[in-house]
Amino acid sequence: MNKEIHLPVDQVSLVEMGPRDGLQNEPRLLSLGQRQAFIERLAQCGLQRIEVGAFVSPKRVPQMADSAALFEALPRRGPTRYGALVPNLQGLQAAIAARADEIGLFTACSDGFTRANIGIGVEESLIRFAPLVQEARRLGIKVRGYLSTVIACPFDGPTKPKRVAALAERLLDLGCHEISLGDTIGVGTPGTVAPMLDAVLHEVPAGRLAVHFHDTYGQGVANLLPALERGIRTIDCSVAGLGGCPYAPGASGNIASEEVVYLLHGLGMQTGVNLDKLAATGQWVSELLGRPNGSRVGQALHARTRQSPPERHERTQGAPHAG
Ligand code: HMG
Ligand code: MG
């Protein structure tokens, strides 16, 4: 029997990763002005949460250098909240000085990835985070906890759902307002994502969860469905499918924001995002980076806008001399 997907018509919150997760793995570095223009364009698309940059070591991730200057340059009009990724106290202090609206601390389910990424194991990272969360909250800054390798680790192999659930609960107990569940290397399918989510939902309510799917194996859109069916309404995505983690070998970009918006609008859900503007921004930044547009929705919309009106007419009428 065919099982229909029943999703309530409602609002989904997108967290745009393009300027951070998106750019951190790109070989071509954008100038400060280009990064600023990128973020301003994204805000104009209606995106209300944008991760602007990262206060990490510029030697490790040169693409994120100058994130302080970027925050300084951004006009703070409008409803958009600007977030920053932070690995330690030095990063937190920089994010506070930059007046980040939100910070994201990041750890993982596996020691292999955590050590490669931030030089310490999972337990040590949680010990490090505790006072950081307290300090941020004392200042009224919301803290998102990223939990990477929720499906598998490039070094340690598959992750057990119970492990994800236990760590998500600990991040919540530390005081994170939201836990972003990262399939860092994009290997999940609904067959592995659904049991992982079921385990986590035993410990953490859907309203406190976000999903962060990388699209390495093209499963990102499929993986959103079990998340939506389970009531998760916060989705991380990256325009033009930019991104990847320099410390996760083989990982490609996040699920493209254009794909997410197209899917959600198609399901009758609301995002507050203008898809045409978003697609134009994805095409613009892809050209700036000298790379193909990684969003199929973006490519399709771009191809449509490139057709002149008479050509479009001919296509819809059929070619006059065909056959
Ligand atoms: P370390 O070498 O262990 O730290 O790095 P250290 O304390 O020994 O410091 C070494 C140097 O880094 C010093 O500078 C520090 O000042 C500097 P030096 O004396 O050599 O000139 N340093 C910093 N500089 C700027 N900002 C800071 C900072 N801290 C120290 N906050 C560290 C430890 C965590 C800094 C390093 O390993 C690092 O920066 N890692 C970055 C990793 C990263 O950005 N990965 C990508 C983001 S995570 C991701 O993409 C996954 C996610 O998307 C979710 C998913 O997909 O699953 C979130
Ligand atoms: Mg990521």
Side-chain angles (χ1 to χ4, degrees):
M1 196 180 73
N2 261 349
K3 271 193 182 176
E4 276 183 17
I5 299 170
H6 291 291
L7 297 168
V9 173
D10 61 5
Q11 185 78 31
V12 177
S13 169
L14 304 188
V15 187
E16 174 58 44
M17 291 286 132
R20 196 280 300 169
D21 206 333
L23 296 184
Q24 74 182 11
N25 209 27
E26 284 298 324
R28 188 180 290 181
L29 269 64
L30 298 190
S31 70
L32 204 56
Q34 288 169 330
R35 284 166 74 188
Q36 182 185 345
F38 182 29
I39 294 162
E40 288 189 37
R41 284 184 71 135
L42 291 167
Q44 282 159 17
C45 294
L47 287 155
Q48 301 216 346
R49 290 177 73 183
I50 301 177
E51 201 158 80
V52 163
F55 293 106
V56 296
S57 162
K59 284 185 195 146
R60 298 283 301 267
V61 189
Q63 293 88 338
M64 292 295 105
D66 297 329
S67 287
L70 185 56
F71 268 96
E72 175 84 23
L74 277 179
R76 301 297 185 92
R77 301 181 292 269
T80 304
R81 276 159 56 195
Y82 296 114
L85 198 72
V86 162
N88 56 14
L89 180 61
Q90 193 175 332
L92 176 67
Q93 286 166 341
I96 293 168
R99 295 187 301 114
D101 295 314
E102 179 176 344
I103 64 158
L105 296 172
F106 53 109
T107 186
C109 299
S110 52
D111 282 319
F113 177 71
T114 314
R115 285 193 198 289
N117 203 28
I118 53 174
I120 51 177
V122 175
E123 282 304 320
E124 211 180 334
S125 73
L126 294 175
I127 293 167
R128 177 185 284 179
F129 290 170
L132 305 186
V133 181
Q134 276 179 20
E135 177 60 5
R137 284 176 48 131
R138 190 181 68 78
L139 297 168
I141 303 171
K142 286 194 168 177
V143 183
R144 146 176 261 239
Y146 282 99
L147 192 51
S148 292
T149 60
V150 298
I151 302 295
C153 171
F155 308 105
D156 300 353
T159 305
K160 289 196 168 65
K162 278 190 172 169
R163 165 100 175 137
V164 188
L167 287 167
E169 189 185 19
R170 283 178 69 185
L171 284 172
L172 199 68
D173 290 345
L174 280 183
C176 294
H177 79 97
E178 178 177 275
I179 316 301
S180 175
L181 301 169
D183 180 10
T184 317
I185 50 174
V187 290
T189 66
T192 48
V193 167
M196 181 276 292
L197 292 176
D198 287 337
V200 174
L201 284 163
H202 269 118
E203 314 299 341
V204 181
R208 307 287 291 276
L209 292 173
V211 283
H212 180 109
F213 296 129
H214 283 263
D215 207 16
T216 320
Y217 287 83
Q219 303 295 299
V221 166
N223 288 340
L224 285 182
L225 291 175
L228 290 167
E229 283 177 315
R230 284 161 178 75
I232 294 171
R233 291 292 179 270
T234 304
I235 297 172
D236 296 0
C237 49
S238 177
V239 73
L242 300 179
C245 177
Y247 298 101
S252 76
N254 289 99
I255 178 172
S257 311
E258 297 90 319
E259 262 73 338
V260 177
V261 172
Y262 185 83
L263 171 75
L264 294 172
H265 291 183
L267 289 169
M269 303 178 103
Q270 292 162 17
T271 63
V273 175
N274 180 316
L275 180 57
D276 288 325
K277 278 191 185 175
L278 186 66
T281 302
Q283 185 59 33
W284 171 82
V285 76
S286 301
E287 286 169 17
L288 214 54
L289 290 164
R291 54 163 274 163
N293 187 339
S295 162
R296 293 181 67 177
V297 171
Q299 285 172 26
L301 290 174
H302 181 61
R304 250 184 24 184
T305 58
R306 276 157 52 110
Q307 282 173 16
S308 63
E311 280 172 344
R312 225 184 274 176
H313 179 71
E314 271 177 28
R315 289 246 175 121
T316 51
Q317 299 295 309
H321 304 296

